Each structure stands twice: as structure tokens, then as C-alpha cells.
PDB file of all heavy atoms in Angstrom:
ATOM      1  N   VAL K 268      91.761  36.366 132.974  1.00 91.00           N
ATOM      2  CA  VAL K 268      90.871  35.421 132.277  1.00 91.00           C
ATOM      3  C   VAL K 268      90.782  35.767 130.789  1.00 91.00           C
ATOM      4  O   VAL K 268      90.895  34.895 129.920  1.00 91.00           O
ATOM      5  CB  VAL K 268      89.466  35.417 132.929  1.00 91.00           C
ATOM      6  CG1 VAL K 268      88.464  34.662 132.086  1.00 91.00           C
ATOM      7  CG2 VAL K 268      89.539  34.840 134.330  1.00 91.00           C
ATOM      8  N   LEU K 269      90.608  37.049 130.495  1.00 90.00           N
ATOM      9  CA  LEU K 269      90.490  37.486 129.104  1.00 90.00           C
ATOM     10  C   LEU K 269      91.785  37.244 128.327  1.00 90.00           C
ATOM     11  O   LEU K 269      91.750  36.799 127.171  1.00 90.00           O
ATOM     12  CB  LEU K 269      90.119  38.972 129.064  1.00 90.00           C
ATOM     13  CG  LEU K 269      89.722  39.548 127.721  1.00 90.00           C
ATOM     14  CD1 LEU K 269      88.464  38.872 127.193  1.00 90.00           C
ATOM     15  CD2 LEU K 269      89.488  41.042 127.845  1.00 90.00           C
ATOM     16  N   GLY K 270      92.929  37.531 128.968  1.00 89.00           N
ATOM     17  CA  GLY K 270      94.219  37.324 128.303  1.00 89.00           C
ATOM     18  C   GLY K 270      94.481  35.870 127.989  1.00 89.00           C
ATOM     19  O   GLY K 270      94.907  35.525 126.879  1.00 89.00           O
ATOM     20  N   THR K 271      94.223  34.992 128.959  1.00 89.00           N
ATOM     21  CA  THR K 271      94.452  33.568 128.713  1.00 89.00           C
ATOM     22  C   THR K 271      93.451  33.015 127.705  1.00 89.00           C
ATOM     23  O   THR K 271      93.796  32.152 126.897  1.00 89.00           O
ATOM     24  CB  THR K 271      94.401  32.760 130.032  1.00 89.00           C
ATOM     25  OG1 THR K 271      93.185  33.034 130.704  1.00 89.00           O
ATOM     26  CG2 THR K 271      95.578  33.100 130.918  1.00 89.00           C
ATOM     27  N   ALA K 272      92.217  33.534 127.726  1.00 88.00           N
ATOM     28  CA  ALA K 272      91.225  33.101 126.727  1.00 88.00           C
ATOM     29  C   ALA K 272      91.605  33.579 125.337  1.00 88.00           C
ATOM     30  O   ALA K 272      91.276  32.931 124.342  1.00 88.00           O
ATOM     31  CB  ALA K 272      89.841  33.635 127.104  1.00 88.00           C
ATOM     32  N   GLY K 273      92.323  34.705 125.269  1.00 85.00           N
ATOM     33  CA  GLY K 273      92.760  35.246 123.979  1.00 85.00           C
ATOM     34  C   GLY K 273      94.046  34.639 123.457  1.00 85.00           C
ATOM     35  O   GLY K 273      94.569  35.077 122.437  1.00 85.00           O
ATOM     36  N   GLY K 274      94.601  33.658 124.173  1.00 87.00           N
ATOM     37  CA  GLY K 274      95.784  32.969 123.687  1.00 87.00           C
ATOM     38  C   GLY K 274      97.094  33.451 124.288  1.00 87.00           C
ATOM     39  O   GLY K 274      98.160  33.002 123.873  1.00 87.00           O
ATOM     40  N   MET K 275      97.041  34.346 125.261  1.00 88.00           N
ATOM     41  CA  MET K 275      98.274  34.811 125.903  1.00 88.00           C
ATOM     42  C   MET K 275      98.656  33.835 127.015  1.00 88.00           C
ATOM     43  O   MET K 275      97.800  33.226 127.651  1.00 88.00           O
ATOM     44  CB  MET K 275      98.072  36.209 126.506  1.00 88.00           C
ATOM     45  CG  MET K 275      97.816  37.294 125.496  1.00 88.00           C
ATOM     46  SD  MET K 275      97.401  38.891 126.247  1.00 88.00           S
ATOM     47  CE  MET K 275      98.974  39.345 126.949  1.00 88.00           C
ATOM     48  N   SER K 276      99.961  33.739 127.263  1.00 88.00           N
ATOM     49  CA  SER K 276     100.410  32.909 128.380  1.00 88.00           C
ATOM     50  C   SER K 276     100.242  33.710 129.676  1.00 88.00           C
ATOM     51  O   SER K 276     100.096  34.926 129.654  1.00 88.00           O
ATOM     52  CB  SER K 276     101.879  32.521 128.199  1.00 88.00           C
ATOM     53  OG  SER K 276     102.706  33.653 128.343  1.00 88.00           O
ATOM     54  N   SER K 277     100.293  32.999 130.785  1.00 85.00           N
ATOM     55  CA  SER K 277     100.186  33.671 132.086  1.00 85.00           C
ATOM     56  C   SER K 277     101.290  34.695 132.260  1.00 85.00           C
ATOM     57  O   SER K 277     101.083  35.782 132.806  1.00 85.00           O
ATOM     58  CB  SER K 277     100.259  32.655 133.219  1.00 85.00           C
ATOM     59  OG  SER K 277      99.186  31.769 133.147  1.00 85.00           O
ATOM     60  N   LYS K 278     102.482  34.370 131.788  1.00 87.00           N
ATOM     61  CA  LYS K 278     103.635  35.264 131.899  1.00 87.00           C
ATOM     62  C   LYS K 278     103.406  36.557 131.114  1.00 87.00           C
ATOM     63  O   LYS K 278     103.744  37.642 131.571  1.00 87.00           O
ATOM     64  CB  LYS K 278     104.877  34.546 131.382  1.00 87.00           C
ATOM     65  CG  LYS K 278     106.158  34.978 132.009  1.00 87.00           C
ATOM     66  CD  LYS K 278     107.304  34.133 131.514  1.00 87.00           C
ATOM     67  CE  LYS K 278     108.022  33.600 132.730  1.00 87.00           C
ATOM     68  NZ  LYS K 278     109.193  32.828 132.407  1.00 87.00           N
ATOM     69  N   GLU K 279     102.811  36.452 129.928  1.00 87.00           N
ATOM     70  CA  GLU K 279     102.529  37.634 129.107  1.00 87.00           C
ATOM     71  C   GLU K 279     101.469  38.525 129.752  1.00 87.00           C
ATOM     72  O   GLU K 279     101.569  39.752 129.718  1.00 87.00           O
ATOM     73  CB  GLU K 279     102.053  37.221 127.710  1.00 87.00           C
ATOM     74  CG  GLU K 279     103.126  36.615 126.848  1.00 87.00           C
ATOM     75  CD  GLU K 279     102.580  36.065 125.543  1.00 87.00           C
ATOM     76  OE1 GLU K 279     101.501  35.429 125.562  1.00 87.00           O
ATOM     77  OE2 GLU K 279     103.229  36.273 124.505  1.00 87.00           O
ATOM     78  N   VAL K 280     100.473  37.907 130.351  1.00 85.00           N
ATOM     79  CA  VAL K 280      99.427  38.682 131.021  1.00 85.00           C
ATOM     80  C   VAL K 280     100.020  39.442 132.208  1.00 85.00           C
ATOM     81  O   VAL K 280      99.788  40.642 132.375  1.00 85.00           O
ATOM     82  CB  VAL K 280      98.261  37.774 131.492  1.00 85.00           C
ATOM     83  CG1 VAL K 280      97.270  38.546 132.335  1.00 85.00           C
ATOM     84  CG2 VAL K 280      97.564  37.143 130.295  1.00 85.00           C
ATOM     85  N   ILE K 281     100.826  38.764 133.004  1.00 84.00           N
ATOM     86  CA  ILE K 281     101.432  39.387 134.181  1.00 84.00           C
ATOM     87  C   ILE K 281     102.422  40.480 133.768  1.00 84.00           C
ATOM     88  O   ILE K 281     102.549  41.499 134.443  1.00 84.00           O
ATOM     89  CB  ILE K 281     102.084  38.319 135.081  1.00 84.00           C
ATOM     90  CG1 ILE K 281     100.982  37.444 135.686  1.00 84.00           C
ATOM     91  CG2 ILE K 281     102.946  38.942 136.170  1.00 84.00           C
ATOM     92  CD1 ILE K 281     101.469  36.217 136.398  1.00 84.00           C
ATOM     93  N   ALA K 282     103.110  40.303 132.645  1.00 83.00           N
ATOM     94  CA  ALA K 282     104.064  41.312 132.165  1.00 83.00           C
ATOM     95  C   ALA K 282     103.360  42.629 131.824  1.00 83.00           C
ATOM     96  O   ALA K 282     103.963  43.706 131.904  1.00 83.00           O
ATOM     97  CB  ALA K 282     104.813  40.793 130.948  1.00 83.00           C
ATOM     98  N   GLY K 283     102.084  42.582 131.491  1.00 80.00           N
ATOM     99  CA  GLY K 283     101.336  43.797 131.177  1.00 80.00           C
ATOM    100  C   GLY K 283     100.847  44.546 132.401  1.00 80.00           C
ATOM    101  O   GLY K 283     100.318  45.650 132.295  1.00 80.00           O
ATOM    102  N   PHE K 284     101.046  43.967 133.568  1.00 79.00           N
ATOM    103  CA  PHE K 284     100.586  44.579 134.813  1.00 79.00           C
ATOM    104  C   PHE K 284     101.669  45.501 135.348  1.00 79.00           C
ATOM    105  O   PHE K 284     102.798  45.082 135.587  1.00 79.00           O
ATOM    106  CB  PHE K 284     100.264  43.482 135.831  1.00 79.00           C
ATOM    107  CG  PHE K 284      99.696  43.981 137.122  1.00 79.00           C
ATOM    108  CD1 PHE K 284      98.425  44.527 137.164  1.00 79.00           C
ATOM    109  CD2 PHE K 284     100.431  43.914 138.294  1.00 79.00           C
ATOM    110  CE1 PHE K 284      97.890  44.986 138.349  1.00 79.00           C
ATOM    111  CE2 PHE K 284      99.910  44.373 139.479  1.00 79.00           C
ATOM    112  CZ  PHE K 284      98.634  44.907 139.515  1.00 79.00           C
ATOM    113  N   ASN K 285     101.341  46.764 135.564  1.00 72.00           N
ATOM    114  CA  ASN K 285     102.302  47.758 136.038  1.00 72.00           C
ATOM    115  C   ASN K 285     102.390  47.684 137.562  1.00 72.00           C
ATOM    116  O   ASN K 285     101.584  48.272 138.269  1.00 72.00           O
ATOM    117  CB  ASN K 285     101.868  49.150 135.577  1.00 72.00           C
ATOM    118  CG  ASN K 285     102.901  50.200 135.867  1.00 72.00           C
ATOM    119  OD1 ASN K 285     103.718  50.065 136.768  1.00 72.00           O
ATOM    120  ND2 ASN K 285     102.857  51.259 135.093  1.00 72.00           N
ATOM    121  N   SER K 286     103.383  46.950 138.055  1.00 75.00           N
ATOM    122  CA  SER K 286     103.505  46.752 139.502  1.00 75.00           C
ATOM    123  C   SER K 286     103.878  48.048 140.223  1.00 75.00           C
ATOM    124  O   SER K 286     103.478  48.265 141.361  1.00 75.00           O
ATOM    125  CB  SER K 286     104.520  45.653 139.804  1.00 75.00           C
ATOM    126  OG  SER K 286     105.780  45.992 139.250  1.00 75.00           O
ATOM    127  N   SER K 287     104.632  48.921 139.576  1.00 68.00           N
ATOM    128  CA  SER K 287     105.008  50.189 140.200  1.00 68.00           C
ATOM    129  C   SER K 287     103.771  51.053 140.465  1.00 68.00           C
ATOM    130  O   SER K 287     103.630  51.633 141.548  1.00 68.00           O
ATOM    131  CB  SER K 287     105.985  50.934 139.300  1.00 68.00           C
ATOM    132  OG  SER K 287     106.245  52.214 139.804  1.00 68.00           O
ATOM    133  N   LEU K 288     102.883  51.128 139.479  1.00 64.00           N
ATOM    134  CA  LEU K 288     101.648  51.889 139.659  1.00 64.00           C
ATOM    135  C   LEU K 288     100.786  51.257 140.745  1.00 64.00           C
ATOM    136  O   LEU K 288     100.197  51.957 141.564  1.00 64.00           O
ATOM    137  CB  LEU K 288     100.872  51.972 138.344  1.00 64.00           C
ATOM    138  CG  LEU K 288      99.546  52.708 138.376  1.00 64.00           C
ATOM    139  CD1 LEU K 288      99.748  54.167 138.778  1.00 64.00           C
ATOM    140  CD2 LEU K 288      98.875  52.630 137.016  1.00 64.00           C
ATOM    141  N   PHE K 289     100.746  49.936 140.782  1.00 72.00           N
ATOM    142  CA  PHE K 289      99.976  49.230 141.801  1.00 72.00           C
ATOM    143  C   PHE K 289     100.483  49.569 143.198  1.00 72.00           C
ATOM    144  O   PHE K 289      99.702  49.884 144.096  1.00 72.00           O
ATOM    145  CB  PHE K 289     100.038  47.720 141.559  1.00 72.00           C
ATOM    146  CG  PHE K 289      99.343  46.913 142.619  1.00 72.00           C
ATOM    147  CD1 PHE K 289      97.965  46.844 142.659  1.00 72.00           C
ATOM    148  CD2 PHE K 289     100.073  46.227 143.582  1.00 72.00           C
ATOM    149  CE1 PHE K 289      97.310  46.107 143.630  1.00 72.00           C
ATOM    150  CE2 PHE K 289      99.435  45.483 144.556  1.00 72.00           C
ATOM    151  CZ  PHE K 289      98.053  45.425 144.582  1.00 72.00           C
ATOM    152  N   VAL K 290     101.801  49.527 143.385  1.00 73.00           N
ATOM    153  CA  VAL K 290     102.383  49.835 144.692  1.00 73.00           C
ATOM    154  C   VAL K 290     102.082  51.288 145.065  1.00 73.00           C
ATOM    155  O   VAL K 290     101.750  51.582 146.218  1.00 73.00           O
ATOM    156  CB  VAL K 290     103.906  49.553 144.694  1.00 73.00           C
ATOM    157  CG1 VAL K 290     104.582  50.113 145.934  1.00 73.00           C
ATOM    158  CG2 VAL K 290     104.161  48.065 144.581  1.00 73.00           C
ATOM    159  N   THR K 291     102.156  52.201 144.100  1.00 64.00           N
ATOM    160  CA  THR K 291     101.844  53.605 144.359  1.00 64.00           C
ATOM    161  C   THR K 291     100.397  53.753 144.814  1.00 64.00           C
ATOM    162  O   THR K 291     100.110  54.438 145.804  1.00 64.00           O
ATOM    163  CB  THR K 291     102.077  54.460 143.091  1.00 64.00           C
ATOM    164  OG1 THR K 291     103.443  54.356 142.722  1.00 64.00           O
ATOM    165  CG2 THR K 291     101.714  55.912 143.323  1.00 64.00           C
ATOM    166  N   MET K 292      99.481  53.112 144.098  1.00 63.00           N
ATOM    167  CA  MET K 292      98.065  53.229 144.441  1.00 63.00           C
ATOM    168  C   MET K 292      97.758  52.605 145.799  1.00 63.00           C
ATOM    169  O   MET K 292      97.012  53.172 146.596  1.00 63.00           O
ATOM    170  CB  MET K 292      97.201  52.605 143.347  1.00 63.00           C
ATOM    171  CG  MET K 292      97.248  53.405 142.059  1.00 63.00           C
ATOM    172  SD  MET K 292      96.380  52.619 140.705  1.00 63.00           S
ATOM    173  CE  MET K 292      94.704  52.751 141.234  1.00 63.00           C
ATOM    174  N   VAL K 293      98.347  51.453 146.075  1.00 70.00           N
ATOM    175  CA  VAL K 293      98.129  50.811 147.372  1.00 70.00           C
ATOM    176  C   VAL K 293      98.708  51.679 148.480  1.00 70.00           C
ATOM    177  O   VAL K 293      98.082  51.877 149.521  1.00 70.00           O
ATOM    178  CB  VAL K 293      98.736  49.381 147.408  1.00 70.00           C
ATOM    179  CG1 VAL K 293      98.778  48.826 148.817  1.00 70.00           C
ATOM    180  CG2 VAL K 293      97.946  48.456 146.506  1.00 70.00           C
ATOM    181  N   GLY K 294      99.901  52.231 148.245  1.00 70.00           N
ATOM    182  CA  GLY K 294     100.533  53.090 149.246  1.00 70.00           C
ATOM    183  C   GLY K 294      99.706  54.333 149.544  1.00 70.00           C
ATOM    184  O   GLY K 294      99.499  54.687 150.704  1.00 70.00           O
ATOM    185  N   VAL K 295      99.215  54.987 148.493  1.00 64.00           N
ATOM    186  CA  VAL K 295      98.404  56.188 148.690  1.00 64.00           C
ATOM    187  C   VAL K 295      97.086  55.841 149.368  1.00 64.00           C
ATOM    188  O   VAL K 295      96.626  56.553 150.262  1.00 64.00           O
ATOM    189  CB  VAL K 295      98.179  56.918 147.345  1.00 64.00           C
ATOM    190  CG1 VAL K 295      97.145  58.012 147.482  1.00 64.00           C
ATOM    191  CG2 VAL K 295      99.485  57.495 146.839  1.00 64.00           C
TER     192      VAL K 295
END
């Protein structure tokens, strides 16, 4: 919400999300 309100596209917001870290945290 904050990224899109700040003028970023959905693709740019998602690109900032570290999926590898997410998978590690979910796995642990």
C-alpha cells in the first residue's frame, strides 16, 4: 500500500521483496 501510494508500480514493490528470505523463514 505504501509503495503504490508513493508512486511505485506493483512490479517495483514486488521486486523489493526477498523471496529467498521468505522461503527460509517459512521453512524454519
Side-chain angles (χ1 to χ4, degrees):
V268 169
L269 190 63
T271 54
M275 295 174 70
S276 69
S277 297
K278 209 175 233 183
E279 290 173 318
V280 173
I281 292 170
F284 184 69
N285 188 335
S286 58
S287 174
L288 179 61
F289 176 75
V290 169
T291 299
M292 291 174 69
V293 168
V295 170

